[in-house]
Amino acid sequence: MQDLRINEQRLWDTLMEMGEIGGTEKGGCNRLAGTDLDKQSRDIFVAWCKACGCEISIDKIGNIFARRPGLNNDLPAVGTGSHLDTQPTGGKFDGVFGVLSGVEVLRTLHENNIETPTPMEFSVWTNEEGSRFQPAMQGSGTYVGRFDLETELNKTDVNGIRLGDELARIGYLGDMELGSRNMGAFFEAHIEQGPILEDEKKAIGIVRLGQGIRWYNIEVVGRPSHSGTTPMHLRKDAMLAAAAIVTEMKAIADRHENGLGTVGFMQVWPNSRNTIPGNVKFSADLRNPRPDVLLTMHEELLAFAEKIAEEHGLDVNIDPFWYFAPVEFNASDDVKAATEKLGYSHMDIYAGAGHDACYMADLVPTGMIFTPCLNGISHNEAEYSSPEECAAGANVLLHTMLEASERIAKQHQA
Ligand code: GLV
Ligand code: MN
Ligand code: MN
């Protein structure tokens, strides 16, 4: 078992095959949650898992679980998984690497006829990206009970299409109860999506923490009027107020160590060049690894919005609809032990992005494995992680899962 390794070429070929579904001209992927392309990627995952003898279950928010039996199927499974949905200009690796590392672990166990002490479970989580439907990590968050199922199924995209309808349409609105898998540990492999491992020349990141995230929907309600006839001092220009808030997002981030602030989505109404904007809707994303600092950033944003509303004589409505508290991964030492056993260079790191593992940590001991990605670029079609880098991460996943399976079986014997 010590010498067992995944097949690097097969993992790479599988990543490239998946990358063709929604593949973009620039070599990335556009595979939004709940689309036909999402269906295609799910179908191929299910086919690959079935070919290795897995039983497939789909829960009420469309998460997929493929279970490979173990020696004792009453024992809780060791789980792994990530997401197959991407950003509109996403890459081939974000999320996909974690899911397909799982498939590669599964294939490695299958072809070597390895009987693990516990079952092993391979999952795909619905809408991790939070691009088409909000928030991010919607499938895992609903699975662990952080979000209400009906509320999430009723969420709509910018065209008013419901998530629940899309899941039903693509055949992935299942009936398995949320939170009902018998799982004893969960591990997610993921590209780092940042530059640190590459810079430090480390093969593996042992992820200790997922940083906190706060998401907002902001609406500025001004007054549409003629751009040629309304004097500047008599306007209620929603765009000017929105622009001030966008600029303040950077100022808030800059005032706090490790602070991050982003506005990535905006709708302007009526969106006509000679009408002063009457209404601007936009997103805001604040992040920090420390909950107290993130709270201060949040308070600063609210206070600034109030000030701007007063100054411009218009309304600023803020809906702080998602708070994701920083999470500590309590099974990181399992990842570290496997990494050291395999002889890969490594360092401790924290996750800047949200991940399904962050929510799974609510339910079971959880760990994450990071691998480097070229120039730290992610959420970009140029995202790249080499075959060797991917193989290292998948090997660590394999051995972390094997160790955890042994441990769970021993704990249940004792
Ligand atoms: C989700 O992956 C996020 O970090 O926004
Ligand atoms: Mn991801
Ligand atoms: Mn992502």
Side-chain angles (χ1 to χ4, degrees), residues 82-83 94-95 128-129 188 190 193 353-355 379:
S82 192
H83 59 100
D94 174 3
E128 190 278 343
E129 288 293 0
E188 179 173 355
H190 205 286
Q193 305 183 273
H355 297 289
H379 284 196

Side-chain angles (χ1 to χ4, degrees), residues 17-324:
E17 188 175 344
M18 186 62 87
E20 283 171 20
I21 303 174
T24 60
E25 265 178 29
K26 291 184 184 164
C29 262
N30 176 1
R31 204 165 53 229
L32 295 180
T35 57
D36 290 352
L37 294 170
D38 187 7
K39 173 185 167 54
Q40 278 181 43
S41 70
R42 287 163 172 265
D43 285 352
I44 195 168
F45 166 82
V46 166
W48 287 335
C49 293
K50 279 187 176 166
C52 291
C54 287
E55 191 188 318
I56 308 294
S57 307
I58 298 165
D59 75 12
K60 293 182 169 180
I61 190 89
N63 299 314
I64 309 172
F65 303 89
R67 181 165 285 223
R68 180 179 193 264
L71 285 168
N72 180 350
N73 292 310
D74 294 331
L75 292 179
V78 176
T80 185
S82 192
H83 59 100
L84 291 173
D85 67 312
T86 76
Q87 293 283 318
T89 54
K92 291 194 188 85
F93 299 86
D94 174 3
V96 184
F97 166 64
V99 173
L100 300 186
S101 290
V103 170
E104 182 50 41
V105 166
L106 168 62
R107 287 172 168 168
T108 303
L109 297 176
H110 187 67
E111 74 187 352
N112 290 288
N113 296 313
I114 289 171
E115 293 186 300
T116 52
T118 68
M120 297 292 205
E121 187 150 282
F122 306 88
S123 46
V124 173
W125 301 92
T126 294
N127 183 36
E128 190 278 343
E129 288 293 0
S131 180
R132 184 177 176 202
F133 303 97
Q134 291 77 42
M137 296 119 80
Q138 194 180 27
S140 47
T142 308
Y143 177 83
V144 304
R146 292 277 191 124
F147 311 137
D148 170 63
L149 174 64
E150 284 312 310
T151 308
E152 297 312 312
L153 291 175
N154 281 327
K155 293 267 178 81
T156 51
D157 69 5
V158 284
N159 297 313
I161 301 174
R162 280 178 76 248
L163 171 68
D165 291 341
E166 285 295 74
L167 287 173
R169 187 183 66 80
I170 66 171
Y172 283 92
L173 187 63
D175 54 13
M176 198 194 78
E177 288 305 324
L178 299 169
S180 68
R181 308 301 296 171
N182 183 15
M183 233 186 273
F186 184 82
F187 299 97
E188 179 173 355
H190 205 286
I191 59 165
E192 179 203 337
Q193 305 183 273
I196 296 168
L197 293 176
E198 186 179 59
D199 193 48
E200 300 277 337
K201 299 189 174 40
K202 302 289 189 211
I204 298 292
I206 317 288
V207 189
R208 297 286 173 183
L209 180 105
Q211 76 172 332
I213 308 174
R214 286 182 180 270
W215 274 13
Y216 308 81
N217 284 326
I218 304 181
E219 180 183 29
V220 182
V221 186
R223 186 181 58 208
S225 58
H226 200 296
S227 68
T229 60
T230 319
M232 293 307 279
H233 71 286
L234 293 179
R235 297 179 178 204
K236 290 180 192 289
D237 186 334
M239 177 54 91
L240 274 185
I245 297 171
V246 173
T247 306
E248 181 65 11
M249 286 287 288
K250 171 165 163 50
I252 293 171
D254 286 346
R255 278 199 292 276
H256 299 281
E257 195 182 357
N258 296 317
L260 298 170
T262 306
V263 174
F265 169 87
M266 186 171 274
Q267 284 176 318
V268 183
W269 179 84
N271 214 14
S272 171
R273 68 185 61 217
N274 48 357
T275 296
I276 295 159
N279 186 302
V280 178
K281 289 183 178 157
F282 58 104
S283 64
D285 171 324
L286 289 176
R287 302 194 189 206
N288 199 281
R290 282 183 46 187
D292 54 334
V293 176
L294 188 55
L295 180 62
T296 307
M297 293 168 73
H298 164 76
E299 286 164 353
E300 287 178 10
L301 175 62
L302 297 191
F304 185 81
E306 211 175 296
K307 182 169 103 92
I308 279 293
E310 207 174 299
E311 275 176 24
H312 289 248
L314 37 64
D315 291 325
V316 178
N317 305 318
I318 299 201
D319 177 11
F321 70 96
W322 185 43
Y323 171 49
F324 169 74

